[in-house]
Amino acid sequence: MTDGITLVVATKNTGKLIEIESLLKNYPVNLKNLSDFGPIPPVAEDGDTFDDNAYQKSAFTARVLGLPALADDSGLVVPTLGGLPGVHSARYGGDGLTDAQRCELLLQNLKGKADRRAYFSCVISIATPTGAALTYEARCEGLVAEAAVGTNGFGYDPIFYYPPLKKTFAEMTLQEKSRVSHRGNAMQELQHEFAKVLLWLQQQMPVPEKLSCQGGVVC
Ligand code: ITT
């Protein structure tokens, strides 16, 4: 926490929010999230790439709130399924499914396939109200497990097996996952140049006009 620059973490996904807030907690920025503000209109998230969608979310939120905003667009890419769920990860199988049902659907769709390679992709976009933005991206390679294992995390974590640690993401602590995950790695890129990013944000933000006061009258 600081009196310095405010950064709004623009996500409605609690799992993502917990990870991002934990990764930024020791950094000199006044972190806010969407629940610190009144309802804001939904963002059109209709890009074909993680990059497009991350920028749509960060730029829209920054413009609406008049504050710098950080958004994450991410998903699980399974090459043998033609890249699905990919950018559609949050809605794979339809809007009404739970995370557990989406995992089950993916397991069903991979039944009998020998190639279970998969990777998580993450793009972090930090935008200012003027629309200028910075982008960080990373991947994490692994396999789709044969069955869901573990209860931590969110989304596809129970079925994403990470061979170097011989665990699914849902069997890892928050810290373990963040050390190796797509989001953790993208955030590390940002953290490496955090001082420069803060300076950049300060330069991008409009300076409020100073009002002078004469005899108690603001003019
Ligand atoms: P916001 O747009 O509000 O940030 P969202 O969940 O809709 O929330 P995305 O459109 O980026 O976000 O969809 C990402 C989906 O990909 C997410 O809902 C999960 O199903 C999956 N996903 C992304 N990162 C993940 C992770 O670290 N672990 C498990 N699943 C993940």
Side-chain angles (χ1 to χ4, degrees), residues 84-167:
L84 287 172
V87 290
H88 306 293
S89 290
R91 294 169 301 280
Y92 187 54
D95 275 332
L97 299 193
T98 62
D99 279 355
Q101 288 169 329
R102 277 185 231 287
C103 287
E104 195 44 47
L105 176 65
L106 189 52
L107 292 178
Q108 287 301 324
N109 291 344
L110 270 178
K111 229 179 190 141
K113 306 243 189 224
D115 181 1
R116 301 186 75 88
R117 282 173 304 169
Y119 62 88
F120 270 120
S121 205
C122 173
V123 175
I124 299 282
S125 171
I126 298 185
T128 67
T130 58
L134 300 171
T135 301
Y136 301 87
E137 52 187 300
R139 280 184 185 192
C140 178
E141 314 260 352
L143 299 169
V144 178
E146 294 289 342
V149 185
T151 52
N152 296 336
F154 67 98
Y156 299 92
D157 281 347
I159 60 166
F160 185 77
Y161 181 78
Y162 183 68
L165 294 184
K166 299 189 173 64
K167 289 179 187 182

Side-chain angles (χ1 to χ4, degrees), residues 11-13 16 45 57 74 154 157 177 182-183:
T11 179
K12 298 192 177 101
N13 182 317
K16 277 187 193 180
E45 215 184 302
K57 291 187 270 194
S74 44
F154 67 98
D157 281 347
K177 178 184 170 189
H182 49 313
R183 182 165 302 103

Side-chain angles (χ1 to χ4, degrees), residues 6 23 65 83 88 117 139 155 177 188 198 201 207 210 215:
T6 293
L23 285 161
L65 297 179
H88 306 293
R117 282 173 304 169
R139 280 184 185 192
K177 178 184 170 189
Q188 264 167 41
L198 285 183
L201 286 174
V207 181
K210 280 211 174 103

